[in-house]
Amino acid sequence: MTEVVATSQTIVVVGGGISGMTAALEAAECGRQVLLIEKTPALGGRTALLYRYFPKLCHPTCGLEINLRRLKSSRNLRVLTMAEVTKITGARGDYSVSLKLSPRYVNENCTACGACSEAVEAAIDNPYNYGLSKMKAAYLPHAMAYPQRYVLDPSIVGTPEGEKAKAACKYGAIDLGMKQETLEIKAGAVIWATGWQPYDAAKIQPYGYDRYPNVITSLEFERLADPHGPTGGKITRPSDGREAKDIAFIQCAGSRDENHLRHCSRICCMASLKQTQYVREAYGEEGKSTVYYIDIRAIDRFEDFYRKVLADKTVRFVKSKPARIAEDRKTLDPVIHGVDTEGYHRYASRHDLVVLAVGMEPAVKGADIPHEIVADSSGFIESAASGGFFGAGCASNALDVNRSVQSATASALRAIQVVRKSDRVEA
Amino acid sequence: MGAMNEQALAKYTNNFLREVEERVEEGEWVKMCMQCGVCAGSCPFGPDWEHSPQKIFMMIRAGKRDEVLSSDSMWMCTSCYNCVVRCPRELPITQIMHGLATYAQRLGLAPKMNPTRKFSLLFWDNCTRTGRVNELKLALGLYFMDGLVAGIKKAWAMRNTGLGLLMAGRLNPFEILKGHECKDKAGIQRMLKKAYEIEEKRRGFAK
Ligand SMILES: Cc1cc2nc3c(=O)[nH]c(=O)nc-3n(C[C@H](O)[C@H](O)[C@H](O)COP(=O)(O)OP(=O)(O)OC[C@H]3O[C@@H](n4cnc5c(N)ncnc54)[C@H](O)[C@@H]3O)c2cc1C
Ligand code: SF4
Ligand code: SF4
Ligand code: SF4
Ligand code: SF4
């Protein structure tokens, strides 16, 4: 059984992305007891799946590494992975939180030697590459995963494959008898940092994401550019594996649209500007990026980055929200149709690959949180009537990493104020 | 246009957007357009007309009153609603296009020779007279719209279609004499008169 000590002075943080980690660390480093709950087998969230960060084009692993070091040296922070909140009752200063823990089938003895993965043959879709590649059913989520502990996919437990994995482990780390557990804990405040999910691109019917192989999302493009991704960092076309040198980026794919997401997702302009530089990095002067946009929203100091990309001759900007995408039947080249707002010229432009800059929506829509909360019209968390419940990072708004971290720090401060009050009540 | 209407319009001098907002059906939506281009790119008319909805909306904001009201683009709209279902701002584009056409017609600024305008007038006159559409008179009126010779040519070209309709019982040759009518023809006319009155008051038109 998993033992967790938690009292009404404990702060529970739900979601172990950059925001949840930040909120948990800030509170723990202020001497507060913190429990960090992550649904997947590893911390890091979406940022672990980005190739580089705008605006400095540094690698996300760098920031993640610093946080993990802080986390390992903190005595006040306890992490539970593969854990989900099923219910929250009570009010500010006195919550009861119900948790569901899924079995990992691998215990603390794991040294991440990888022998189990080599022994197993069964493969599953790799969620870390958005299903663009397969991985073994005994796996380490990604190179930076914390905890550095393997996972067995439930599909092989109770099969000869599961036994193969167990036989390969020299450290007695594989426990095929692990069961799902439920836990009931106390908490004074709850920080909700469950982050975001991409808007379902298939719902934007005229763009044909579900019909054309060479129309992909911006998240998939991050994986294509990443050396740890499905193509080993080569930017190629899903239909034929050919190098994709002429790439179109379509902005506001699902955002700023009453038929889809009402809000501006705020980060996608910068994400596409950044991704044009992946094309340049891969193909130099031979690469060609075309950005179709309504208006470019590079806020504050990001303006400098925008100016830099504007000066790049390999990048062309077309002020137009495309009306639709068609496909050349023979070559499977996507052809973008629309009218250019600067001059009202009609165009039909062929490209090797189209990247949809999909919008962000809250991963757990306001309505799905097992507690009464106040959310805006897009489902981002604003507050809760019970008073001790705070949104952080992309769960509260469409934010970049820098602003997510600021929002998380603010939520940690608010949570500390709550548990300090309950200190005094009990003293 | 009467002097009263001239007067009513004076307050909109140099503010065509406001004029459209107050006097054109669904005109208050025009300011919501963000010039994204989706409607223009979605319209099946594509390159075949001069002013796409996107362009018309920008021209309204730019105060290009004469160009907008005398444009034949609004008359070409086929009401396919492609633009409406895709507009990210949910503008009732089709309705605005028809609203502009109606408004231009009222002010006497609509393009005189536009065939859709002529057809619209013919149709409206035909169906409000008796409360029922007289297909035969409508078709003949349409053919002879451009004169006797052109009409005979068109009628001849369409003779097989006409015959087909006749055989299928869809066209009654005796309609040319009287035609079928509504039971309460006068009632229909009274209703339309009232509707005009209400509309005119709401849109600030003087009689
Ligand atoms: C294409 C693209 C490129 C981007 N590039 C950049 C960039 O270059 N620079 C930049 O600053 N930003 C970038 N961003 C934005 C960046 O991804 C976000 O700012 C960041 O991921 C926000 O972190 P977060 O912790 O709030 O959310 P997330 O990263 O989504 O983390 C949420 C965590 O919560 C967990 N979780 C979800 N639901 C539950 C639950 N019910 N219970 C427990 N745990 C749960 C998830 O598993 C996840 O680990 C980009 C975004 C996109 C779409
Ligand atoms: S479970 Fe065992 S075999 Fe697999 S990585 Fe861990 S220690 Fe190695
Ligand atoms: S950030 Fe840019 S691409 Fe994203 S929704 Fe806003 S305007 Fe559109
Ligand atoms: S689609 Fe809507 S918002 Fe876009 S240009 Fe047309 S009317 Fe304006
Ligand atoms: S409804 Fe009219 S304006 Fe709209 S797309 Fe169809 S023809 Fe064009």
Side-chain angles (χ1 to χ4, degrees), chain A residues 205-207 255-259 293-294 297 319-324 337-341 343-344 346, chain B residues 34-38 40-43 45-47 49 52 54-55 58-59 84-90:
Chain A
Q205 192 274 344
Y207 290 170
S255 308
R256 297 177 68 186
D257 192 330
E258 295 288 341
N259 304 304
Y293 68 102
I294 302 176
R297 294 190 168 168
K319 186 170 174 63
S320 165
K321 181 177 171 75
R324 68 189 173 94
H337 292 263
V339 169
D340 181 348
T341 299
Y344 301 107
R346 204 155 260 287
Chain B
M34 63 171 162
Q35 289 292 302
C36 70
V38 162
S42 302
C43 184
F45 268 104
W49 64 0
S52 64
Q54 177 192 21
K55 208 166 171 180
M58 197 63 217
M59 285 160 68
V84 175
V85 297
R86 288 186 189 166
C87 171
R89 287 281 175 89
E90 285 186 336

Side-chain angles (χ1 to χ4, degrees), chain A residues 150-171:
Chain A
Y150 273 62
V151 191
L152 290 201
D153 191 73
S155 65
I156 63 163
V157 175
T159 73
E161 287 286 301
E163 297 301 332
K164 261 194 231 164
K166 187 173 164 68
C169 182
K170 291 194 291 269
Y171 304 95

